[in-house]
Every structure is written in C-alpha cells, then in structure tokens.
Amino acid sequence: MADQHDQPLDRYREKRDFARTGEPTGDVPTEKKEKKMRDGSEHPVFVVQKHDASRLHYDFRLEIAGVLKSWAIPKGPTMDPDEKRLAVPVEDHPLDYAGFEGVIPQGEYGGGTVMIWDRGTFRNLRSGKDGEGVSLEESYKQGKIEVELRGRKLRGGFVLVRVELGGDSEENWLLMKMHDDAADANRHPTQNENRSVESGRTMEEIVRAEK
Ligand code: MN
C-alpha cells in the first residue's frame, strides 16, 4: 500500500524472502563494510554485477541519495563510444548490495548467480563549481546522468539517458561511453574480463563454492 510511510527500499524488501536468500536486508551497513566498498575514499560507490538469472544480464548501480539506483543492462556496458546499451531501471538496492556476490536460490526473486564484475567510486560530471551544477538526485529526476567511473574495468566518462522508445509506457534508459582517453572500441570487457573484482572467481567457481 503506497502511503507517506513508504521507505526507499520497500520495493526491494517486498520482492525478497531473507530467510531464503543471502542478499543484504537493507539494514544500515556497518562503517567497516562501507569503508571497504569506497576503497577508503569519500566518493559515492558504483557496482556492476553480472547476474545469470532467467536471462544473463549486468546490473549497473550508482549510489544516489543513500541507495543504489539500479538498471539491468542485457548486453552489459561497453567501452565503445559509438554503441548504446539498453538499461532498464529496476528497484533501488541497499548500499551494501555492492558487496554481494553469491547464488540466489532458484525459485526466489532473481534466482541465479551474482558476480561483483566491477566496483569502484565515481564522480558526478554535472556537479559544476561552487554548487551551480546539477546534483546526482536532480540528474536522476531529469533522466540525464553523467559520471566518471573509477573502477577496475570501467573507467572514464559514461552517460545514462532516459529515452522514449514509443509504444509502451515503460521507462527505458541508454548507457553510453563518452569519448575520452578511456574509450576503446577494441576492448570488450564483458567478453574478455570475466572474473570477479572481489574474489577473482568465475561464475562457475561462484556456483561451485555454494554447493
Ligand atoms: Mn539482476
């Protein structure tokens, strides 16, 4: 029931049975956990999780206003600035989801293997100087987010824009690499960089560890 008592993570919690899945409940993460995710820096966190659910996809998450704003990207991110990747918004996730890697049991929401494919911090490229810029929250509302990612695999500028694809009322976004020094049409990290940045494991190794 939607009312003024709705909390940002209600949709996240409603979909999950925490007696069955090992995913975080969304309680406030400990300082220690947060520090680890930020690599000791003060910048917001991003994570890309490879998720072998009913369809393989990559979940792209940016820390905005205390939660991880999230998009499911069927083809995953690209370093080629001439390509666009469909990014379908999904429910906000708790901050400590950036530390989740493992197997969600079959039959549960999102059942399948989750890998921390990339993680790091990011900078809002629309923030401007002396506060005249556009905040991340405002960028999200406007449907135009420009960030510089500092991950292990993904680096440099990326743009997320909300688009009208016509027909249905579903909201879609596109993820694009900006033209910059980190752009590289010949580098295909989703094909060639297939290990977790957290554990060094492959998807198969994550599955095996849970059996
Ligand atoms: Mn997913």
Side-chain angles (χ1 to χ4, degrees), residues 16 19 31 118-119 156:
R16 291 168 174 84
E31 238 176 81
D118 198 15
R119 191 175 63 198

Side-chain angles (χ1 to χ4, degrees), residues 51 53 57 59 61 72:
H51 187 185
H57 60 274
D59 289 301
R61 313 187 197 280

Side-chain angles (χ1 to χ4, degrees), residues 145-160:
I145 298 170
E146 297 180 351
V147 290
E148 181 198 343
L149 300 182
R150 296 161 174 165
R152 302 261 294 275
K153 296 171 183 169
L154 302 181
R155 318 243 352 144
F158 285 80
V159 191
L160 268 161

Side-chain angles (χ1 to χ4, degrees), residues 34-104:
E34 272 210 38
K35 212 173 166 189
K36 191 185 170 205
M37 287 188 291
R38 291 180 201 288
D39 297 327
S41 92
E42 296 298 310
H43 299 288
V45 172
F46 86 92
V47 66
V48 181
Q49 279 150 322
K50 186 173 181 176
H51 187 185
D52 191 8
S54 44
R55 284 180 79 171
L56 181 75
H57 60 274
Y58 292 77
D59 289 301
F60 186 86
R61 313 187 197 280
L62 295 175
E63 179 184 356
I64 297 176
V67 296
L68 294 174
K69 290 287 177 192
S70 300
W71 296 260
I73 304 182
K75 288 185 166 181
T78 174
M79 298 304 286
D80 182 349
D82 295 325
E83 276 195 49
K84 297 177 173 67
R85 292 290 163 88
L86 178 67
V88 181
V90 297
E91 78 276 14
D92 296 347
H93 279 51
L95 208 51
D96 55 347
Y97 207 91
F100 178 72
E101 179 170 280
V103 178
I104 302 168

Side-chain angles (χ1 to χ4, degrees), residues 28 30 53 143 211:
V28 181
T30 63
K211 280 181 178 160

